[in-house]
Amino acid sequence: LFRSREASVDVGIGAPEADDVIRMNCLRRFLLATVALGFAGCSLNELDEQARRIRTHIRQLGHADSSVRHEAASALAEIGPAAVPALNGALLSKNPATRAGAADAIGQIGRSATVAIPRLAEALSHPNVSVRRSAARALGEVGPNARSAMPALVDALGDSEPYVRMASVLAIGRIGESAAPAAHRGPRGSAPAG
């Protein structure tokens, strides 16, 4: 549960700042879990098992078989908010399939995955179309809390791939009316429509 080096290797990230984030998330989870154990009647074994399942499914997000990747994303979404810190870390993976799968799972978790908004916004400019499309979809599922990602979503309206553009339009719509002024301006560098 608390071996951050192992967690960083599992998702294929090696940047020192990623290791620090994982370490801090593990420490925070440990402290919260210690306090919550008395209230929730949860055992350390159950927490260890959940952490093991999260690590396993994170690794599977990069699997060559798309059905394995889909099942892993669904399993992580079922775990829910407890999986978000690891998914947020997986958004830094060198493997595009892992990044796209992490975004898909975050999208399935939805509004409680707000911590991932900055990395999802960054993923909108990733070279891989699946990563960009999945990030746009996930931001839409996070909903109104993703307003801070509007500049990146508006830029994605100019993406060369129609699936990314469509996912961005849908995300802007799901984020809500507060997105209308930014959407009206259009992608950076373009003239407003009209």
Side-chain angles (χ1 to χ4, degrees):
L1 175 62
F2 307 111
R3 292 178 291 185
S4 63
R5 285 270 172 226
E6 202 172 289
S8 67
V9 170
D10 287 347
V11 296
I13 52 180
E17 57 274 1
D19 287 343
D20 292 342
V21 169
I22 291 170
R23 235 180 258 112
M24 291 304 295
N25 284 334
C26 288
L27 178 59
R28 186 175 64 228
R29 283 189 304 204
F30 173 75
L31 293 173
L32 289 172
T34 302
V35 171
L37 284 174
F39 298 109
C42 183
S43 73
L44 282 175
N45 288 338
E46 291 169 331
L47 291 175
D48 284 342
E49 175 60 23
Q50 183 180 60
R52 186 196 61 74
R53 286 185 13 239
I54 290 171
R55 283 192 308 271
T56 298
H57 294 311
I58 291 286
R59 277 193 306 273
Q60 291 171 338
L61 290 175
H63 198 277
D65 184 340
S66 63
S67 64
V68 172
R69 292 192 307 264
H70 176 74
E71 289 297 322
S74 295
L76 288 159
E78 283 182 33
I79 292 170
V84 171
L87 288 165
N88 196 34
L91 288 172
L92 298 175
S93 174
K94 294 175 184 169
N95 182 336
T98 300
R99 284 185 184 214
D104 289 339
I106 289 167
Q108 291 177 52
I109 292 169
R111 293 179 186 229
S112 59
T114 57
V115 70
I117 293 169
R119 288 197 183 145
L120 289 169
E122 289 174 20
L124 290 171
S125 61
H126 192 273
N128 183 283
V129 65
S130 294
V131 172
R132 296 192 312 269
R133 181 185 60 230
S134 294
R137 285 181 184 166
L139 286 165
E141 294 300 326
V142 172
N145 292 329
R147 285 186 185 104
S148 63
M150 284 306 302
L153 282 165
V154 170
D155 283 349
L157 294 174
D159 196 282
S160 62
E161 294 292 332
Y163 296 115
V164 176
R165 292 192 305 266
M166 180 58 72
S168 298
V169 166
L170 294 172
I172 290 168
R174 287 181 175 208
I175 290 171
E177 292 180 15
S178 67
H184 179 70
R185 282 191 297 273
R188 289 184 195 150
S190 69

